[in-house]
Structure formats: structure tokens, C-alpha cells
């Protein structure tokens, strides 16, 4: 009987050793939602008149951190009501490879290209993982590095902070290049020719 018990114990130990040495499958990620081919609309609580519209190949949402990551961005737009009519109109376009939306609806990116339509102005913004480009829904844009192209020149800055309408733009000036032979000006979001002097 003792011999049979020792044999059974040896067999159980052998099976245990075999199963312990087998490669284990990584546990499935139990948190998060992943969607593909998504059209997403964001209504920021701290900017109640605005609406962001995105098209993305992939959206990963983590309910624990309350963050979403958009990749393969095909469209990024900020819409606001027209001051005269109240109907939504395109205010800003956004291009970036990856956009993170944090728990306060702010947008975080390593690099972004934006166009503020009404001002006919484009912004090339860059940062790092530690200091990303940020769209703060309560204020506007911040970035470690910026190149802002207006119809009448180009402004290169560091540590830029700008309101959505660019009326309040601050930072460390690096270079300002004025276009003295300006042939176009911005009127209501459109570039129009500057009249020639008689």
C-alpha cells in the first residue's frame, strides 16, 4: 500500500513539474475597450460651446484612467457657434498621428499641426512624452516648441501658450520673419488678395 502511495505521489509530482514548465499564455487584458473605424464627437465640459469631431482607425479607451487614445487620425476638427447666426462652423483643424484624450477632455500629442481657420493661421507644435503638446479645453494650446504661420509672417517660439483664437499668445521668441511683400490678407477665415497701391 505504501509502495502504491509513493508511486501515485511520484506521478502527481511529475505531472505538476510538466505543467509548471509549460509556457503560460499571457493573461488577456481585462480592462479597456478597443474600437476600429470610429467617428467620435467630444463635448468638453470646460468649453461647453465647442465640439470636437474625430475620425480614427483605432480608439483605445481605458475606464480605469478615463483616457482614450486615438490612432490613425483621418479627421480632427473643432466646431464652435458662429457669433452672428449661432450655427456651428469649423474653427480649427488638427492633424496628429496619435491623440490622447485625458479625463478632463484635454488633448495630448507629441506633435500636431493645427489650422485656426478664422485667423488663416497654421501652427506646427511639437513636444515630448514628458512635455506634450496640449489642447487645454479651458484655455487653448500649449507646447514646448511652436512655429506659427500668419498671412503676414512666421513666428517661431518656445514654451508657447495661446488662446483658441490666438489673441492671447505668449512664449519665448526665437525668430519673427515678417512678409513685407504681403499679397494676401485674412478676411473672415479666407485669404483674399491685398489691393495694389495706386
Amino acid at each position: 500500500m505504501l509502495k502504491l502511495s509513493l508511486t501515485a505521489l511520484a506521478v502527481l509530482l511529475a505531472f505538476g513539474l510538466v505543467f509548471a514548465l509549460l509556457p503560460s499564455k499571457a493573461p488577456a487584458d481585462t480592462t479597456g475597450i478597443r474600437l476600429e473605424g470610429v467617428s467620435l464627437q467630444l463635448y468638453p465640459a470646460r468649453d461647453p460651446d465647442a465640439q470636437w469631431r474625430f475620425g480614427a482607425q483605432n480608439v483605445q479607451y481605458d475606464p480605469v484612467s478615463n483616457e482614450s487614445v486615438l490612432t490613425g487620425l483621418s479627421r480632427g476638427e473643432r466646431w464652435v457657434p458662429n457669433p452672428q447666426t449661432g450655427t456651428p462652423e469649423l474653427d480649427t483643424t488638427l492633424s496628429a498621428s496619435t491623440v490622447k484624450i485625458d479625463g478632463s477632455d484635454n488633448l495630448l500629442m507629441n506633435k500636431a499641426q493645427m489650422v485656426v481657420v478664422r485667423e488663416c493661421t497654421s501652427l506646427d507644435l511639437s513636444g515630448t512624452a514628458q512635455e506634450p503638446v496640449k489642447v487645454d479645453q479651458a484655455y487653448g494650446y500649449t507646447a514646448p516648441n511652436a512655429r506659427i504661420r500668419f498671412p503676414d509672417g512666421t513666428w517661431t517660439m518656445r514654451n508657447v501658450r495661446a488662446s483658441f483664437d490666438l489673441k492671447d499668445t505668449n512664449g519665448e521668441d526665437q525668430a519673427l520673419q515678417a512678409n513685407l511683400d504681403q499679397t494676401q490678407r485674412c478676411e473672415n477665415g479666407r485669404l483674399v488678395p491685398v489691393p495694389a497701391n495706386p
Side-chain angles (χ1 to χ4, degrees), residues 117-143:
V117 176
R118 182 165 284 282
E119 303 300 323
C120 305
T121 299
S122 64
L123 298 86
D124 293 323
L125 307 173
S126 63
T128 63
Q130 292 75 31
E131 290 184 81
V133 174
K134 182 177 183 180
V135 176
D136 185 324
Q137 301 294 0
Y139 178 77
Y141 317 109
T142 60

PDB file of all heavy atoms in Angstrom, residues 117-143:
ATOM      1  N   VAL A 117      -8.881  78.421 -38.518  1.00  0.00           N
ATOM      2  CA  VAL A 117      -9.495  78.810 -39.791  1.00  0.00           C
ATOM      3  C   VAL A 117      -9.797  80.300 -39.853  1.00  0.00           C
ATOM      4  O   VAL A 117      -9.427  80.985 -40.809  1.00  0.00           O
ATOM      5  CB  VAL A 117     -10.774  77.973 -40.045  1.00  0.00           C
ATOM      6  CG1 VAL A 117     -11.476  78.418 -41.316  1.00  0.00           C
ATOM      7  CG2 VAL A 117     -10.437  76.487 -40.104  1.00  0.00           C
ATOM      8  N   ARG A 118     -10.456  80.840 -38.832  1.00  0.00           N
ATOM      9  CA  ARG A 118     -10.880  82.243 -38.867  1.00  0.00           C
ATOM     10  C   ARG A 118      -9.692  83.195 -38.959  1.00  0.00           C
ATOM     11  O   ARG A 118      -9.798  84.284 -39.503  1.00  0.00           O
ATOM     12  CB  ARG A 118     -11.725  82.560 -37.625  1.00  0.00           C
ATOM     13  CG  ARG A 118     -12.265  83.974 -37.588  1.00  0.00           C
ATOM     14  CD  ARG A 118     -13.354  84.136 -36.561  1.00  0.00           C
ATOM     15  NE  ARG A 118     -14.615  83.580 -36.982  1.00  0.00           N
ATOM     16  CZ  ARG A 118     -15.455  84.173 -37.845  1.00  0.00           C
ATOM     17  NH1 ARG A 118     -15.146  85.316 -38.374  1.00  0.00           N
ATOM     18  NH2 ARG A 118     -16.592  83.607 -38.162  1.00  0.00           N
ATOM     19  N   GLU A 119      -8.532  82.783 -38.430  1.00  0.00           N
ATOM     20  CA  GLU A 119      -7.339  83.632 -38.449  1.00  0.00           C
ATOM     21  C   GLU A 119      -6.415  83.311 -39.625  1.00  0.00           C
ATOM     22  O   GLU A 119      -5.364  83.944 -39.761  1.00  0.00           O
ATOM     23  CB  GLU A 119      -6.567  83.473 -37.133  1.00  0.00           C
ATOM     24  CG  GLU A 119      -7.375  83.787 -35.892  1.00  0.00           C
ATOM     25  CD  GLU A 119      -7.902  85.208 -35.869  1.00  0.00           C
ATOM     26  OE1 GLU A 119      -7.198  86.116 -36.324  1.00  0.00           O
ATOM     27  OE2 GLU A 119      -9.048  85.402 -35.402  1.00  0.00           O
ATOM     28  N   CYS A 120      -6.773  82.308 -40.459  1.00  0.00           N
ATOM     29  CA  CYS A 120      -5.931  81.877 -41.594  1.00  0.00           C
ATOM     30  C   CYS A 120      -4.510  81.602 -41.104  1.00  0.00           C
ATOM     31  O   CYS A 120      -3.519  82.003 -41.742  1.00  0.00           O
ATOM     32  CB  CYS A 120      -5.898  82.936 -42.687  1.00  0.00           C
ATOM     33  SG  CYS A 120      -7.514  83.441 -43.302  1.00  0.00           S
ATOM     34  N   THR A 121      -4.396  80.934 -39.971  1.00  0.00           N
ATOM     35  CA  THR A 121      -3.102  80.730 -39.326  1.00  0.00           C
ATOM     36  C   THR A 121      -2.878  79.254 -39.048  1.00  0.00           C
ATOM     37  O   THR A 121      -3.782  78.556 -38.583  1.00  0.00           O
ATOM     38  CB  THR A 121      -3.057  81.517 -37.993  1.00  0.00           C
ATOM     39  OG1 THR A 121      -3.225  82.901 -38.293  1.00  0.00           O
ATOM     40  CG2 THR A 121      -1.755  81.320 -37.266  1.00  0.00           C
ATOM     41  N   SER A 122      -1.666  78.788 -39.335  1.00  0.00           N
ATOM     42  CA  SER A 122      -1.318  77.401 -39.058  1.00  0.00           C
ATOM     43  C   SER A 122      -0.271  77.332 -37.961  1.00  0.00           C
ATOM     44  O   SER A 122       0.578  78.220 -37.826  1.00  0.00           O
ATOM     45  CB  SER A 122      -0.817  76.699 -40.320  1.00  0.00           C
ATOM     46  OG  SER A 122       0.379  77.285 -40.765  1.00  0.00           O
ATOM     47  N   LEU A 123      -0.359  76.277 -37.163  1.00  0.00           N
ATOM     48  CA  LEU A 123       0.564  76.058 -36.058  1.00  0.00           C
ATOM     49  C   LEU A 123       1.190  74.685 -36.207  1.00  0.00           C
ATOM     50  O   LEU A 123       0.469  73.691 -36.343  1.00  0.00           O
ATOM     51  CB  LEU A 123      -0.167  76.120 -34.710  1.00  0.00           C
ATOM     52  CG  LEU A 123      -0.860  77.413 -34.300  1.00  0.00           C
ATOM     53  CD1 LEU A 123      -2.265  77.484 -34.852  1.00  0.00           C
ATOM     54  CD2 LEU A 123      -0.898  77.518 -32.789  1.00  0.00           C
ATOM     55  N   ASP A 124       2.525  74.635 -36.200  1.00  0.00           N
ATOM     56  CA  ASP A 124       3.259  73.375 -36.120  1.00  0.00           C
ATOM     57  C   ASP A 124       3.781  73.297 -34.698  1.00  0.00           C
ATOM     58  O   ASP A 124       4.657  74.075 -34.306  1.00  0.00           O
ATOM     59  CB  ASP A 124       4.408  73.339 -37.121  1.00  0.00           C
ATOM     60  CG  ASP A 124       3.928  73.314 -38.557  1.00  0.00           C
ATOM     61  OD1 ASP A 124       2.899  72.657 -38.823  1.00  0.00           O
ATOM     62  OD2 ASP A 124       4.552  73.952 -39.412  1.00  0.00           O
ATOM     63  N   LEU A 125       3.232  72.372 -33.911  1.00  0.00           N
ATOM     64  CA  LEU A 125       3.551  72.266 -32.494  1.00  0.00           C
ATOM     65  C   LEU A 125       4.260  70.954 -32.224  1.00  0.00           C
ATOM     66  O   LEU A 125       3.891  69.911 -32.782  1.00  0.00           O
ATOM     67  CB  LEU A 125       2.271  72.340 -31.665  1.00  0.00           C
ATOM     68  CG  LEU A 125       1.362  73.548 -31.932  1.00  0.00           C
ATOM     69  CD1 LEU A 125       0.041  73.403 -31.179  1.00  0.00           C
ATOM     70  CD2 LEU A 125       2.054  74.840 -31.560  1.00  0.00           C
ATOM     71  N   SER A 126       5.289  70.992 -31.367  1.00  0.00           N
ATOM     72  CA  SER A 126       5.994  69.757 -31.030  1.00  0.00           C
ATOM     73  C   SER A 126       6.354  69.747 -29.557  1.00  0.00           C
ATOM     74  O   SER A 126       6.548  70.794 -28.933  1.00  0.00           O
ATOM     75  CB  SER A 126       7.248  69.583 -31.893  1.00  0.00           C
ATOM     76  OG  SER A 126       8.177  70.615 -31.649  1.00  0.00           O
ATOM     77  N   GLY A 127       6.436  68.526 -29.013  1.00  0.00           N
ATOM     78  CA  GLY A 127       6.786  68.333 -27.623  1.00  0.00           C
ATOM     79  C   GLY A 127       7.417  66.968 -27.440  1.00  0.00           C
ATOM     80  O   GLY A 127       7.939  66.381 -28.396  1.00  0.00           O
ATOM     81  N   THR A 128       7.340  66.447 -26.235  1.00  0.00           N
ATOM     82  CA  THR A 128       7.885  65.126 -25.913  1.00  0.00           C
ATOM     83  C   THR A 128       6.845  64.367 -25.099  1.00  0.00           C
ATOM     84  O   THR A 128       5.809  64.922 -24.728  1.00  0.00           O
ATOM     85  CB  THR A 128       9.180  65.264 -25.082  1.00  0.00           C
ATOM     86  OG1 THR A 128       8.857  65.902 -23.828  1.00  0.00           O
ATOM     87  CG2 THR A 128      10.237  66.086 -25.816  1.00  0.00           C
ATOM     88  N   ALA A 129       7.163  63.115 -24.772  1.00  0.00           N
ATOM     89  CA  ALA A 129       6.246  62.338 -23.929  1.00  0.00           C
ATOM     90  C   ALA A 129       6.124  62.973 -22.547  1.00  0.00           C
ATOM     91  O   ALA A 129       5.060  62.946 -21.925  1.00  0.00           O
ATOM     92  CB  ALA A 129       6.742  60.901 -23.814  1.00  0.00           C
ATOM     93  N   GLN A 130       7.233  63.565 -22.057  1.00  0.00           N
ATOM     94  CA  GLN A 130       7.198  64.209 -20.742  1.00  0.00           C
ATOM     95  C   GLN A 130       6.529  65.584 -20.796  1.00  0.00           C
ATOM     96  O   GLN A 130       5.869  66.000 -19.849  1.00  0.00           O
ATOM     97  CB  GLN A 130       8.620  64.370 -20.184  1.00  0.00           C
ATOM     98  CG  GLN A 130       9.316  63.067 -19.825  1.00  0.00           C
ATOM     99  CD  GLN A 130       9.794  62.295 -21.054  1.00  0.00           C
ATOM    100  OE1 GLN A 130      10.127  62.899 -22.077  1.00  0.00           O
ATOM    101  NE2 GLN A 130       9.798  60.982 -20.962  1.00  0.00           N
ATOM    102  N   GLU A 131       6.722  66.313 -21.896  1.00  0.00           N
ATOM    103  CA  GLU A 131       6.115  67.637 -22.081  1.00  0.00           C
ATOM    104  C   GLU A 131       5.385  67.660 -23.421  1.00  0.00           C
ATOM    105  O   GLU A 131       5.906  68.143 -24.411  1.00  0.00           O
ATOM    106  CB  GLU A 131       7.182  68.727 -22.065  1.00  0.00           C
ATOM    107  CG  GLU A 131       7.825  68.964 -20.728  1.00  0.00           C
ATOM    108  CD  GLU A 131       8.788  70.136 -20.808  1.00  0.00           C
ATOM    109  OE1 GLU A 131       8.303  71.286 -20.739  1.00  0.00           O
ATOM    110  OE2 GLU A 131       9.993  69.902 -20.962  1.00  0.00           O
ATOM    111  N   PRO A 132       4.180  67.117 -23.465  1.00  0.00           N
ATOM    112  CA  PRO A 132       3.483  67.016 -24.748  1.00  0.00           C
ATOM    113  C   PRO A 132       2.847  68.337 -25.179  1.00  0.00           C
ATOM    114  O   PRO A 132       2.713  69.279 -24.395  1.00  0.00           O
ATOM    115  CB  PRO A 132       2.391  65.977 -24.460  1.00  0.00           C
ATOM    116  CG  PRO A 132       2.114  66.132 -22.995  1.00  0.00           C
ATOM    117  CD  PRO A 132       3.424  66.510 -22.366  1.00  0.00           C
ATOM    118  N   VAL A 133       2.469  68.364 -26.444  1.00  0.00           N
ATOM    119  CA  VAL A 133       1.579  69.421 -26.934  1.00  0.00           C
ATOM    120  C   VAL A 133       0.228  69.185 -26.259  1.00  0.00           C
ATOM    121  O   VAL A 133      -0.225  68.044 -26.143  1.00  0.00           O
ATOM    122  CB  VAL A 133       1.429  69.320 -28.467  1.00  0.00           C
ATOM    123  CG1 VAL A 133       0.389  70.303 -28.981  1.00  0.00           C
ATOM    124  CG2 VAL A 133       2.773  69.510 -29.154  1.00  0.00           C
ATOM    125  N   LYS A 134      -0.392  70.266 -25.804  1.00  0.00           N
ATOM    126  CA  LYS A 134      -1.652  70.101 -25.069  1.00  0.00           C
ATOM    127  C   LYS A 134      -2.693  71.091 -25.576  1.00  0.00           C
ATOM    128  O   LYS A 134      -2.403  72.270 -25.746  1.00  0.00           O
ATOM    129  CB  LYS A 134      -1.406  70.335 -23.576  1.00  0.00           C
ATOM    130  CG  LYS A 134      -2.632  70.149 -22.695  1.00  0.00           C
ATOM    131  CD  LYS A 134      -2.260  70.322 -21.238  1.00  0.00           C
ATOM    132  CE  LYS A 134      -3.423  70.064 -20.320  1.00  0.00           C
ATOM    133  NZ  LYS A 134      -3.056  70.234 -18.900  1.00  0.00           N
ATOM    134  N   VAL A 135      -3.870  70.567 -25.833  1.00  0.00           N
ATOM    135  CA  VAL A 135      -5.040  71.415 -26.059  1.00  0.00           C
ATOM    136  C   VAL A 135      -5.819  71.398 -24.754  1.00  0.00           C
ATOM    137  O   VAL A 135      -6.461  70.409 -24.407  1.00  0.00           O
ATOM    138  CB  VAL A 135      -5.908  70.912 -27.225  1.00  0.00           C
ATOM    139  CG1 VAL A 135      -7.153  71.769 -27.354  1.00  0.00           C
ATOM    140  CG2 VAL A 135      -5.122  70.900 -28.529  1.00  0.00           C
ATOM    141  N   ASP A 136      -5.695  72.491 -24.004  1.00  0.00           N
ATOM    142  CA  ASP A 136      -6.393  72.634 -22.732  1.00  0.00           C
ATOM    143  C   ASP A 136      -7.777  73.202 -23.037  1.00  0.00           C
ATOM    144  O   ASP A 136      -7.895  74.330 -23.520  1.00  0.00           O
ATOM    145  CB  ASP A 136      -5.594  73.579 -21.827  1.00  0.00           C
ATOM    146  CG  ASP A 136      -6.189  73.689 -20.428  1.00  0.00           C
ATOM    147  OD1 ASP A 136      -7.428  73.667 -20.289  1.00  0.00           O
ATOM    148  OD2 ASP A 136      -5.406  73.819 -19.477  1.00  0.00           O
ATOM    149  N   GLN A 137      -8.814  72.423 -22.755  1.00  0.00           N
ATOM    150  CA  GLN A 137     -10.169  72.823 -23.152  1.00  0.00           C
ATOM    151  C   GLN A 137     -10.651  74.084 -22.436  1.00  0.00           C
ATOM    152  O   GLN A 137     -11.570  74.743 -22.906  1.00  0.00           O
ATOM    153  CB  GLN A 137     -11.154  71.676 -22.902  1.00  0.00           C
ATOM    154  CG  GLN A 137     -10.825  70.397 -23.644  1.00  0.00           C
ATOM    155  CD  GLN A 137     -10.946  70.505 -25.156  1.00  0.00           C
ATOM    156  OE1 GLN A 137     -11.288  71.551 -25.702  1.00  0.00           O
ATOM    157  NE2 GLN A 137     -10.649  69.424 -25.859  1.00  0.00           N
ATOM    158  N   ALA A 138     -10.003  74.445 -21.333  1.00  0.00           N
ATOM    159  CA  ALA A 138     -10.410  75.656 -20.625  1.00  0.00           C
ATOM    160  C   ALA A 138      -9.714  76.898 -21.159  1.00  0.00           C
ATOM    161  O   ALA A 138     -10.114  78.008 -20.841  1.00  0.00           O
ATOM    162  CB  ALA A 138     -10.105  75.515 -19.135  1.00  0.00           C
ATOM    163  N   TYR A 139      -8.664  76.708 -22.005  1.00  0.00           N
ATOM    164  CA  TYR A 139      -7.896  77.888 -22.422  1.00  0.00           C
ATOM    165  C   TYR A 139      -7.499  77.876 -23.899  1.00  0.00           C
ATOM    166  O   TYR A 139      -7.846  78.767 -24.649  1.00  0.00           O
ATOM    167  CB  TYR A 139      -6.632  78.011 -21.557  1.00  0.00           C
ATOM    168  CG  TYR A 139      -5.778  79.170 -21.976  1.00  0.00           C
ATOM    169  CD1 TYR A 139      -6.140  80.469 -21.627  1.00  0.00           C
ATOM    170  CD2 TYR A 139      -4.638  78.986 -22.752  1.00  0.00           C
ATOM    171  CE1 TYR A 139      -5.383  81.548 -22.035  1.00  0.00           C
ATOM    172  CE2 TYR A 139      -3.871  80.064 -23.158  1.00  0.00           C
ATOM    173  CZ  TYR A 139      -4.242  81.336 -22.802  1.00  0.00           C
ATOM    174  OH  TYR A 139      -3.504  82.402 -23.207  1.00  0.00           O
ATOM    175  N   GLY A 140      -6.726  76.886 -24.304  1.00  0.00           N
ATOM    176  CA  GLY A 140      -6.196  76.881 -25.669  1.00  0.00           C
ATOM    177  C   GLY A 140      -5.039  75.912 -25.803  1.00  0.00           C
ATOM    178  O   GLY A 140      -5.122  74.783 -25.327  1.00  0.00           O
ATOM    179  N   TYR A 141      -3.942  76.372 -26.411  1.00  0.00           N
ATOM    180  CA  TYR A 141      -2.842  75.494 -26.772  1.00  0.00           C
ATOM    181  C   TYR A 141      -1.589  75.796 -25.969  1.00  0.00           C
ATOM    182  O   TYR A 141      -1.269  76.960 -25.726  1.00  0.00           O
ATOM    183  CB  TYR A 141      -2.488  75.662 -28.253  1.00  0.00           C
ATOM    184  CG  TYR A 141      -3.690  75.748 -29.158  1.00  0.00           C
ATOM    185  CD1 TYR A 141      -4.044  76.952 -29.777  1.00  0.00           C
ATOM    186  CD2 TYR A 141      -4.493  74.641 -29.381  1.00  0.00           C
ATOM    187  CE1 TYR A 141      -5.154  77.033 -30.599  1.00  0.00           C
ATOM    188  CE2 TYR A 141      -5.605  74.714 -30.192  1.00  0.00           C
ATOM    189  CZ  TYR A 141      -5.935  75.911 -30.803  1.00  0.00           C
ATOM    190  OH  TYR A 141      -7.042  75.996 -31.602  1.00  0.00           O
ATOM    191  N   THR A 142      -0.854  74.742 -25.577  1.00  0.00           N
ATOM    192  CA  THR A 142       0.475  74.897 -25.009  1.00  0.00           C
ATOM    193  C   THR A 142       1.393  73.890 -25.686  1.00  0.00           C
ATOM    194  O   THR A 142       0.954  72.791 -26.045  1.00  0.00           O
ATOM    195  CB  THR A 142       0.507  74.668 -23.480  1.00  0.00           C
ATOM    196  OG1 THR A 142       0.057  73.343 -23.194  1.00  0.00           O
ATOM    197  CG2 THR A 142      -0.373  75.663 -22.751  1.00  0.00           C
ATOM    198  N   ALA A 143       2.663  74.294 -25.863  1.00  0.00           N
ATOM    199  CA  ALA A 143       3.631  73.398 -26.496  1.00  0.00           C
ATOM    200  C   ALA A 143       5.039  73.882 -26.193  1.00  0.00           C
ATOM    201  O   ALA A 143       5.279  75.090 -26.112  1.00  0.00           O
ATOM    202  CB  ALA A 143       3.416  73.342 -28.006  1.00  0.00           C
TER     203      ALA A 143
END
